Amino acid sequence: MPDPLGPQSTDAEIAAAYRGHTALVTGAAGCIGSNLCRALLEAGAARVVALDDLSAAEKWNLPAPTKSGPTSDRLEFIHGSVLDAKALAQAFAPKPAFVFHLAAFFANQNSVEHPEDDLRVNGLGTLRVLEASRAASVQRVVYASSGCSVYGARAPLPLKEDFVTLHLDTPYQITKLLGELYCNFFGNYHHLPVVRARLFNVYGPGEIPGRYRNVIPNFFYWAQRGQPLPITGSGEETRDFTFVGDIVGGLLRCGVLPQVVGEAINLASGVETRIGDLAAQVNALTGNSAGLKQLERRRWDTHDRRRASIDKARSLLGYEPRTDFPSGLRATLAWFQNHHKEIAASARF
Ligand SMILES: NC(=O)c1ccc[n+]([C@@H]2O[C@H](COP(=O)([O-])OP(=O)(O)OC[C@H]3O[C@@H](n4cnc5c(N)ncnc54)[C@H](O)[C@@H]3O)[C@@H](O)[C@H]2O)c1
């Protein structure tokens, strides 16, 4: 008998738990979703159902539809919304054992400008995915929550999972917390095995720059065009930037370890990086001599510093971030260079 899975399990043992199974990824064409789909296929999942309405991503970001690809044959892309009953029925038809709910209306600024769309997708959409998961008796749902959201700006550092606040700054932050509350309801009332993964400032290959996107892809985009990098604050603000590969590793663990059901767990690097230092590194890596430009701080952006505790992830999941910041930035730049044309055509500013 093999040992039961636990935090001590190796990545290979975690991957083996997906072999031969079907997984559904919502928001699959996005930054995290596309990397997760690739990892599930590499793990040997029999089928990966990739649901995305392409409202904020591009199909080319999904694992490539190669002629012979042993991976892409097992990827089924559904172009549809988590709000749409027909698309959900199609996504759940193959009876997924694992559901990774990543689809979201992203993110803060977008939600300030479009609060009803935010509520529809992040609130009602999450409710519908949870309801469909319950009806399909799935083995596990992993909800992509946001540690950048649910702790607000007043929590002591490092941010720990048991801190609770009602002081949130944007509709996105509110609806990411709402998603967690629905997860709790489905866990407590329906006994749906849900894990809430609280992700922090994810970056890496697969995030197409754009008006509502995160700082790192946008910095690379502007730096490659010889533009000064806009700093919306003093540059002293810090974030806990986490490489997408580490996030995917943590999500895969959340999907199969028995002891994490019902838990909220930070997935982060546990390291603070100053935005000014990030800008300097991006300019150095790209050879951009245009420097920085100071912009007014966004009114909703009240977080001066952000650093997560990853003690719980270490002890319950055996999670360990492996990609240091310089390596993660180099991998991101390589992706930008390899997808130069597609990114230029797809960036949404
Ligand atoms: N990137 C981060 O820094 C970060 C941090 C914390 C939490 N998260 C959470 O992780 C998840 C994935 O984030 P990401 O960075 O990959 O974002 P993303 O925007 O790249 O991916 C989300 C995907 O969802 C799709 N989508 C949007 N509305 C949809 C709908 N109604 N139906 C189906 N698909 C829809 C978009 O087209 C996009 O491909 C999100 O839930 C996000 O809130 C991300």
Side-chain angles (χ1 to χ4, degrees):
M1 271 291 273
D3 286 343
L5 289 176
Q8 78 294 340
S9 298
T10 62
D11 288 352
E13 287 164 339
I14 297 291
Y18 289 95
R19 203 165 296 148
H21 292 288
T22 295
L24 165 62
V25 179
T26 73
C31 168
I32 303 167
S34 56
N35 285 285
L36 178 63
C37 286
R38 210 162 280 117
L40 286 163
L41 292 167
E42 280 165 16
R47 192 167 181 174
V48 176
V49 181
L51 176 65
D52 201 299
D53 69 353
L54 302 182
S55 57
E58 303 289 337
K59 203 174 163 195
W60 63 258
N61 210 22
L62 283 161
T66 51
K67 298 120 227 163
S68 58
T71 56
S72 60
D73 294 350
R74 292 176 279 123
L75 183 91
E76 180 193 348
F77 174 64
I78 300 174
H79 185 183
S81 170
V82 291
L83 290 163
D84 177 35
K86 247 167 101 179
L88 279 179
Q90 196 185 341
F92 279 88
K95 303 229 166 298
F98 307 100
V99 174
F100 294 90
H101 178 42
L102 272 52
F105 193 80
F106 196 87
N108 288 303
Q109 182 64 38
N110 203 3
S111 74
V112 169
E113 292 174 25
H114 307 103
E116 293 197 7
D117 291 332
D118 172 87
L119 178 58
R120 257 189 294 278
V121 178
N122 298 356
L124 187 58
T126 296
L127 176 57
R128 290 191 175 158
V129 169
L130 290 169
E131 179 51 33
S133 302
R134 182 198 67 76
S137 304
V138 305
Q139 271 179 45
R140 184 71 54 92
V141 178
V142 180
Y143 170 64
S145 181
S146 167
C148 312
S149 297
V150 301
Y151 297 117
R154 303 181 190 182
L157 299 185
L159 300 165
K160 291 202 173 128
E161 286 85 347
D162 52 6
F163 182 87
V164 178
T165 183
L166 292 179
H167 299 281
L168 301 177
D169 294 311
T170 66
Y172 173 80
Q173 295 176 8
I174 293 167
T175 55
K176 291 311 287 186
L177 180 61
L178 176 64
E180 284 210 26
L181 299 175
Y182 278 125
C183 289
N184 285 343
F185 167 70
F186 274 80
N188 296 335
Y189 187 79
H190 294 297
H191 305 295
L192 184 70
V194 190
V195 184
R196 292 162 287 139
R198 292 181 177 163
L199 319 182
F200 281 76
N201 293 92
V202 186
Y203 75 99
E207 184 170 7
I208 299 165
R211 179 161 174 229
Y212 298 124
R213 299 310 311 186
N214 288 314
V215 59
I216 292 183
N218 286 355
F219 273 8
F220 274 114
Y221 183 81
W222 287 311
Q224 284 191 320
R225 282 157 183 76
Q227 303 283 320
L229 305 186
I231 305 284
T232 55
S234 68
E236 291 299 316
E237 297 82 4
T238 68
R239 295 292 179 261
D240 188 330
F241 292 109
T242 315
F243 188 66
V244 67
D246 288 327
I247 291 288
V248 165
L251 291 173
L252 291 177
R253 286 178 175 267
C254 286
V256 294
L257 293 184
Q259 55 276 58
V260 295
V261 169
E263 299 288 345
I265 309 179
N266 291 342
L267 294 179
S269 70
V271 176
E272 270 179 284
T273 300
R274 287 172 61 254
I275 300 297
D277 291 343
L278 159 66
Q281 289 185 63
V282 170
N283 277 339
L285 275 172
T286 52
N288 182 28
S289 56
L292 312 177
K293 75 174 171 195
Q294 208 68 40
L295 296 184
E296 214 174 300
R297 193 160 176 172
R298 295 162 297 186
R299 202 143 50 89
W300 50 262
D301 186 2
T302 61
H303 293 214
D304 285 333
R305 294 177 61 195
R306 207 177 280 152
R307 174 165 55 92
S309 162
I310 50 174
D311 291 350
K312 187 171 177 184
R314 282 194 167 113
S315 69
L316 281 191
L317 291 176
Y319 164 84
E320 198 56 56
R322 297 200 183 118
T323 311
D324 62 38
F325 200 49
S327 311
L329 288 182
R330 280 195 300 275
T332 309
L333 176 59
W335 181 78
F336 266 77
Q337 288 165 337
N338 293 336
H339 294 86
H340 186 72
K341 275 200 191 127
E342 297 98 314
I343 291 170
S346 310
R348 302 177 187 194
F349 284 100

